[in-house]
Amino acid sequence: MSDEAGSKKMSHQRKTTLKSLMLNKAKEDLEREKTQKQEEKKAILSKRLKPLDGIENMTTQEAQDLCRELHIKIDKVMDEAYDLSSRVKKNDKEIDDLNQQIFDLRGKFKRPPLRRVRMSADQMLRALLGSKHKVSMDLRSNLKTVKKSGEKRTENDTKDWRETIDAKAGMEGKMAMFEGS
């Protein structure tokens, strides 16, 4: 049994050689893809752009006409790029809205990622109400004021609690309570 388990495991050297071979193969594939993309790009550009032969022999009028033509082409390309980017933004917004509707229908709400912000009460009110409203949170001014009564307690009221319990202890104390009332 130990021989079978040992034969299934690969040695460290074998693992490292396999890893290096796989990395070399992946590197070659990436280089091949890169060269293929460059060739495709050159082929597409050669189809779209005509070669500018004889620029040195052009008159100023011909050069100006060529520049105007190139500017018109650039404007068209920029317009198409802007249209495509606005379409992409619109589609992204629609996707977000539809995802939100899906969450609403399922009853599960996606919580937006929130960050902790330390603000004082005054800053929070300013943020909520705007800078027009000046509100200060003076908590002490909102508290009720309690007037202390002018009555002074007598000594009998402030007796030690132990004395009152000792007086009420036993049958005599209970009888005194009933007789006193």
Side-chain angles (χ1 to χ4, degrees), residues 51-72:
L52 300 174
D53 294 331
I55 293 180
E56 297 85 22
N57 300 333
M58 286 187 178
T59 62
T60 56
Q61 184 62 34
E62 290 173 344
Q64 288 176 350
D65 291 341
L66 180 65
C67 287
R68 285 188 190 104
E69 184 180 321
L70 291 175
H71 277 288
I72 291 170

PDB file of all heavy atoms in Angstrom, residues 51-72:
ATOM      1  N   PRO A  51      -2.478  54.747 -49.111  1.00  0.00           N
ATOM      2  CA  PRO A  51      -1.124  55.286 -48.935  1.00  0.00           C
ATOM      3  C   PRO A  51      -1.037  56.693 -49.523  1.00  0.00           C
ATOM      4  O   PRO A  51      -1.676  57.021 -50.525  1.00  0.00           O
ATOM      5  CB  PRO A  51      -0.240  54.300 -49.701  1.00  0.00           C
ATOM      6  CG  PRO A  51      -1.159  53.593 -50.635  1.00  0.00           C
ATOM      7  CD  PRO A  51      -2.518  53.611 -50.004  1.00  0.00           C
ATOM      8  N   LEU A  52      -0.275  57.516 -48.863  1.00  0.00           N
ATOM      9  CA  LEU A  52      -0.093  58.894 -49.304  1.00  0.00           C
ATOM     10  C   LEU A  52       1.173  58.980 -50.160  1.00  0.00           C
ATOM     11  O   LEU A  52       2.248  59.356 -49.701  1.00  0.00           O
ATOM     12  CB  LEU A  52       0.004  59.831 -48.091  1.00  0.00           C
ATOM     13  CG  LEU A  52      -1.212  59.861 -47.167  1.00  0.00           C
ATOM     14  CD1 LEU A  52      -0.918  60.716 -45.952  1.00  0.00           C
ATOM     15  CD2 LEU A  52      -2.422  60.391 -47.925  1.00  0.00           C
ATOM     16  N   ASP A  53       1.024  58.614 -51.400  1.00  0.00           N
ATOM     17  CA  ASP A  53       2.164  58.661 -52.318  1.00  0.00           C
ATOM     18  C   ASP A  53       2.278  60.056 -52.921  1.00  0.00           C
ATOM     19  O   ASP A  53       1.294  60.704 -53.248  1.00  0.00           O
ATOM     20  CB  ASP A  53       1.995  57.636 -53.447  1.00  0.00           C
ATOM     21  CG  ASP A  53       2.043  56.216 -52.923  1.00  0.00           C
ATOM     22  OD1 ASP A  53       2.719  56.009 -51.888  1.00  0.00           O
ATOM     23  OD2 ASP A  53       1.400  55.331 -53.520  1.00  0.00           O
ATOM     24  N   GLY A  54       3.463  60.497 -53.069  1.00  0.00           N
ATOM     25  CA  GLY A  54       3.710  61.757 -53.748  1.00  0.00           C
ATOM     26  C   GLY A  54       3.403  62.983 -52.920  1.00  0.00           C
ATOM     27  O   GLY A  54       2.991  64.017 -53.448  1.00  0.00           O
ATOM     28  N   ILE A  55       3.560  62.921 -51.608  1.00  0.00           N
ATOM     29  CA  ILE A  55       3.293  64.097 -50.766  1.00  0.00           C
ATOM     30  C   ILE A  55       4.317  65.195 -51.074  1.00  0.00           C
ATOM     31  O   ILE A  55       3.992  66.372 -51.053  1.00  0.00           O
ATOM     32  CB  ILE A  55       3.346  63.710 -49.264  1.00  0.00           C
ATOM     33  CG1 ILE A  55       2.188  62.772 -48.931  1.00  0.00           C
ATOM     34  CG2 ILE A  55       3.284  64.932 -48.371  1.00  0.00           C
ATOM     35  CD1 ILE A  55       2.164  62.333 -47.494  1.00  0.00           C
ATOM     36  N   GLU A  56       5.522  64.787 -51.368  1.00  0.00           N
ATOM     37  CA  GLU A  56       6.567  65.767 -51.628  1.00  0.00           C
ATOM     38  C   GLU A  56       6.291  66.564 -52.912  1.00  0.00           C
ATOM     39  O   GLU A  56       6.687  67.718 -53.033  1.00  0.00           O
ATOM     40  CB  GLU A  56       7.935  65.078 -51.769  1.00  0.00           C
ATOM     41  CG  GLU A  56       8.411  64.367 -50.527  1.00  0.00           C
ATOM     42  CD  GLU A  56       7.854  62.944 -50.442  1.00  0.00           C
ATOM     43  OE1 GLU A  56       7.464  62.383 -51.474  1.00  0.00           O
ATOM     44  OE2 GLU A  56       7.824  62.419 -49.329  1.00  0.00           O
ATOM     45  N   ASN A  57       5.595  65.944 -53.868  1.00  0.00           N
ATOM     46  CA  ASN A  57       5.353  66.589 -55.155  1.00  0.00           C
ATOM     47  C   ASN A  57       4.039  67.376 -55.183  1.00  0.00           C
ATOM     48  O   ASN A  57       3.710  67.952 -56.211  1.00  0.00           O
ATOM     49  CB  ASN A  57       5.331  65.539 -56.268  1.00  0.00           C
ATOM     50  CG  ASN A  57       6.651  64.792 -56.365  1.00  0.00           C
ATOM     51  OD1 ASN A  57       7.690  65.340 -55.998  1.00  0.00           O
ATOM     52  ND2 ASN A  57       6.614  63.567 -56.856  1.00  0.00           N
ATOM     53  N   MET A  58       3.274  67.403 -54.088  1.00  0.00           N
ATOM     54  CA  MET A  58       1.970  68.094 -54.078  1.00  0.00           C
ATOM     55  C   MET A  58       2.156  69.604 -54.016  1.00  0.00           C
ATOM     56  O   MET A  58       3.094  70.107 -53.411  1.00  0.00           O
ATOM     57  CB  MET A  58       1.148  67.672 -52.862  1.00  0.00           C
ATOM     58  CG  MET A  58       0.557  66.313 -52.919  1.00  0.00           C
ATOM     59  SD  MET A  58      -0.523  66.120 -51.499  1.00  0.00           S
ATOM     60  CE  MET A  58      -1.130  64.504 -51.808  1.00  0.00           C
ATOM     61  N   THR A  59       1.185  70.270 -54.614  1.00  0.00           N
ATOM     62  CA  THR A  59       1.155  71.727 -54.503  1.00  0.00           C
ATOM     63  C   THR A  59       0.492  72.075 -53.177  1.00  0.00           C
ATOM     64  O   THR A  59      -0.096  71.222 -52.510  1.00  0.00           O
ATOM     65  CB  THR A  59       0.353  72.346 -55.669  1.00  0.00           C
ATOM     66  OG1 THR A  59      -0.992  71.882 -55.588  1.00  0.00           O
ATOM     67  CG2 THR A  59       0.972  71.975 -57.008  1.00  0.00           C
ATOM     68  N   THR A  60       0.559  73.354 -52.818  1.00  0.00           N
ATOM     69  CA  THR A  60      -0.037  73.769 -51.549  1.00  0.00           C
ATOM     70  C   THR A  60      -1.549  73.576 -51.562  1.00  0.00           C
ATOM     71  O   THR A  60      -2.145  73.198 -50.547  1.00  0.00           O
ATOM     72  CB  THR A  60       0.295  75.239 -51.244  1.00  0.00           C
ATOM     73  OG1 THR A  60      -0.130  76.053 -52.333  1.00  0.00           O
ATOM     74  CG2 THR A  60       1.779  75.416 -50.976  1.00  0.00           C
ATOM     75  N   GLN A  61      -2.177  73.825 -52.694  1.00  0.00           N
ATOM     76  CA  GLN A  61      -3.631  73.647 -52.800  1.00  0.00           C
ATOM     77  C   GLN A  61      -3.998  72.175 -52.612  1.00  0.00           C
ATOM     78  O   GLN A  61      -4.954  71.857 -51.900  1.00  0.00           O
ATOM     79  CB  GLN A  61      -4.142  74.167 -54.164  1.00  0.00           C
ATOM     80  CG  GLN A  61      -5.631  74.126 -54.340  1.00  0.00           C
ATOM     81  CD  GLN A  61      -6.349  75.005 -53.320  1.00  0.00           C
ATOM     82  OE1 GLN A  61      -5.847  76.043 -52.924  1.00  0.00           O
ATOM     83  NE2 GLN A  61      -7.530  74.571 -52.896  1.00  0.00           N
ATOM     84  N   GLU A  62      -3.248  71.282 -53.236  1.00  0.00           N
ATOM     85  CA  GLU A  62      -3.536  69.850 -53.097  1.00  0.00           C
ATOM     86  C   GLU A  62      -3.306  69.392 -51.653  1.00  0.00           C
ATOM     87  O   GLU A  62      -4.077  68.594 -51.111  1.00  0.00           O
ATOM     88  CB  GLU A  62      -2.657  69.038 -54.051  1.00  0.00           C
ATOM     89  CG  GLU A  62      -3.012  69.204 -55.511  1.00  0.00           C
ATOM     90  CD  GLU A  62      -2.010  68.506 -56.423  1.00  0.00           C
ATOM     91  OE1 GLU A  62      -0.894  68.167 -55.947  1.00  0.00           O
ATOM     92  OE2 GLU A  62      -2.354  68.302 -57.596  1.00  0.00           O
ATOM     93  N   ALA A  63      -2.284  69.914 -51.011  1.00  0.00           N
ATOM     94  CA  ALA A  63      -2.004  69.559 -49.615  1.00  0.00           C
ATOM     95  C   ALA A  63      -3.123  70.061 -48.701  1.00  0.00           C
ATOM     96  O   ALA A  63      -3.559  69.357 -47.782  1.00  0.00           O
ATOM     97  CB  ALA A  63      -0.663  70.130 -49.179  1.00  0.00           C
ATOM     98  N   GLN A  64      -3.636  71.283 -48.964  1.00  0.00           N
ATOM     99  CA  GLN A  64      -4.737  71.819 -48.166  1.00  0.00           C
ATOM    100  C   GLN A  64      -6.000  70.990 -48.369  1.00  0.00           C
ATOM    101  O   GLN A  64      -6.735  70.712 -47.410  1.00  0.00           O
ATOM    102  CB  GLN A  64      -4.987  73.290 -48.526  1.00  0.00           C
ATOM    103  CG  GLN A  64      -3.916  74.232 -48.019  1.00  0.00           C
ATOM    104  CD  GLN A  64      -4.149  75.664 -48.473  1.00  0.00           C
ATOM    105  OE1 GLN A  64      -5.008  75.934 -49.313  1.00  0.00           O
ATOM    106  NE2 GLN A  64      -3.355  76.581 -47.927  1.00  0.00           N
ATOM    107  N   ASP A  65      -6.270  70.579 -49.597  1.00  0.00           N
ATOM    108  CA  ASP A  65      -7.443  69.735 -49.859  1.00  0.00           C
ATOM    109  C   ASP A  65      -7.312  68.391 -49.136  1.00  0.00           C
ATOM    110  O   ASP A  65      -8.282  67.883 -48.559  1.00  0.00           O
ATOM    111  CB  ASP A  65      -7.597  69.503 -51.366  1.00  0.00           C
ATOM    112  CG  ASP A  65      -8.005  70.761 -52.107  1.00  0.00           C
ATOM    113  OD1 ASP A  65      -8.517  71.695 -51.439  1.00  0.00           O
ATOM    114  OD2 ASP A  65      -7.799  70.816 -53.342  1.00  0.00           O
ATOM    115  N   LEU A  66      -6.122  67.836 -49.150  1.00  0.00           N
ATOM    116  CA  LEU A  66      -5.891  66.569 -48.455  1.00  0.00           C
ATOM    117  C   LEU A  66      -6.096  66.741 -46.945  1.00  0.00           C
ATOM    118  O   LEU A  66      -6.715  65.893 -46.295  1.00  0.00           O
ATOM    119  CB  LEU A  66      -4.465  66.067 -48.744  1.00  0.00           C
ATOM    120  CG  LEU A  66      -4.087  64.756 -48.080  1.00  0.00           C
ATOM    121  CD1 LEU A  66      -4.945  63.614 -48.615  1.00  0.00           C
ATOM    122  CD2 LEU A  66      -2.617  64.455 -48.286  1.00  0.00           C
ATOM    123  N   CYS A  67      -5.609  67.849 -46.401  1.00  0.00           N
ATOM    124  CA  CYS A  67      -5.789  68.117 -44.966  1.00  0.00           C
ATOM    125  C   CYS A  67      -7.262  68.269 -44.624  1.00  0.00           C
ATOM    126  O   CYS A  67      -7.731  67.749 -43.605  1.00  0.00           O
ATOM    127  CB  CYS A  67      -5.018  69.376 -44.553  1.00  0.00           C
ATOM    128  SG  CYS A  67      -3.243  69.126 -44.490  1.00  0.00           S
ATOM    129  N   ARG A  68      -8.016  68.987 -45.461  1.00  0.00           N
ATOM    130  CA  ARG A  68      -9.465  69.153 -45.219  1.00  0.00           C
ATOM    131  C   ARG A  68     -10.164  67.795 -45.244  1.00  0.00           C
ATOM    132  O   ARG A  68     -11.031  67.509 -44.412  1.00  0.00           O
ATOM    133  CB  ARG A  68     -10.062  70.087 -46.266  1.00  0.00           C
ATOM    134  CG  ARG A  68      -9.716  71.533 -46.046  1.00  0.00           C
ATOM    135  CD  ARG A  68     -10.489  72.464 -46.983  1.00  0.00           C
ATOM    136  NE  ARG A  68      -9.950  73.802 -46.896  1.00  0.00           N
ATOM    137  CZ  ARG A  68      -9.168  74.384 -47.795  1.00  0.00           C
ATOM    138  NH1 ARG A  68      -8.851  73.749 -48.917  1.00  0.00           N
ATOM    139  NH2 ARG A  68      -8.717  75.596 -47.606  1.00  0.00           N
ATOM    140  N   GLU A  69      -9.788  66.976 -46.216  1.00  0.00           N
ATOM    141  CA  GLU A  69     -10.388  65.649 -46.329  1.00  0.00           C
ATOM    142  C   GLU A  69     -10.081  64.806 -45.087  1.00  0.00           C
ATOM    143  O   GLU A  69     -10.961  64.130 -44.540  1.00  0.00           O
ATOM    144  CB  GLU A  69      -9.827  64.959 -47.583  1.00  0.00           C
ATOM    145  CG  GLU A  69     -10.424  63.605 -47.874  1.00  0.00           C
ATOM    146  CD  GLU A  69      -9.813  62.994 -49.120  1.00  0.00           C
ATOM    147  OE1 GLU A  69      -9.564  63.726 -50.106  1.00  0.00           O
ATOM    148  OE2 GLU A  69      -9.584  61.768 -49.085  1.00  0.00           O
ATOM    149  N   LEU A  70      -8.833  64.872 -44.622  1.00  0.00           N
ATOM    150  CA  LEU A  70      -8.461  64.124 -43.418  1.00  0.00           C
ATOM    151  C   LEU A  70      -9.194  64.652 -42.177  1.00  0.00           C
ATOM    152  O   LEU A  70      -9.619  63.875 -41.311  1.00  0.00           O
ATOM    153  CB  LEU A  70      -6.945  64.169 -43.206  1.00  0.00           C
ATOM    154  CG  LEU A  70      -6.108  63.400 -44.232  1.00  0.00           C
ATOM    155  CD1 LEU A  70      -4.623  63.618 -43.974  1.00  0.00           C
ATOM    156  CD2 LEU A  70      -6.440  61.929 -44.194  1.00  0.00           C
ATOM    157  N   HIS A  71      -9.374  65.967 -42.099  1.00  0.00           N
ATOM    158  CA  HIS A  71     -10.112  66.545 -40.967  1.00  0.00           C
ATOM    159  C   HIS A  71     -11.568  66.091 -40.978  1.00  0.00           C
ATOM    160  O   HIS A  71     -12.134  65.807 -39.914  1.00  0.00           O
ATOM    161  CB  HIS A  71     -10.031  68.079 -40.989  1.00  0.00           C
ATOM    162  CG  HIS A  71      -8.780  68.620 -40.376  1.00  0.00           C
ATOM    163  ND1 HIS A  71      -8.556  68.603 -39.034  1.00  0.00           N
ATOM    164  CD2 HIS A  71      -7.688  69.182 -40.941  1.00  0.00           C
ATOM    165  CE1 HIS A  71      -7.378  69.142 -38.782  1.00  0.00           C
ATOM    166  NE2 HIS A  71      -6.828  69.502 -39.939  1.00  0.00           N
ATOM    167  N   ILE A  72     -12.158  66.017 -42.153  1.00  0.00           N
ATOM    168  CA  ILE A  72     -13.545  65.548 -42.253  1.00  0.00           C
ATOM    169  C   ILE A  72     -13.645  64.098 -41.771  1.00  0.00           C
ATOM    170  O   ILE A  72     -14.559  63.728 -41.018  1.00  0.00           O
ATOM    171  CB  ILE A  72     -14.059  65.707 -43.699  1.00  0.00           C
ATOM    172  CG1 ILE A  72     -14.226  67.192 -44.046  1.00  0.00           C
ATOM    173  CG2 ILE A  72     -15.367  64.961 -43.897  1.00  0.00           C
ATOM    174  CD1 ILE A  72     -14.494  67.456 -45.512  1.00  0.00           C
TER     175      ILE A  72
END
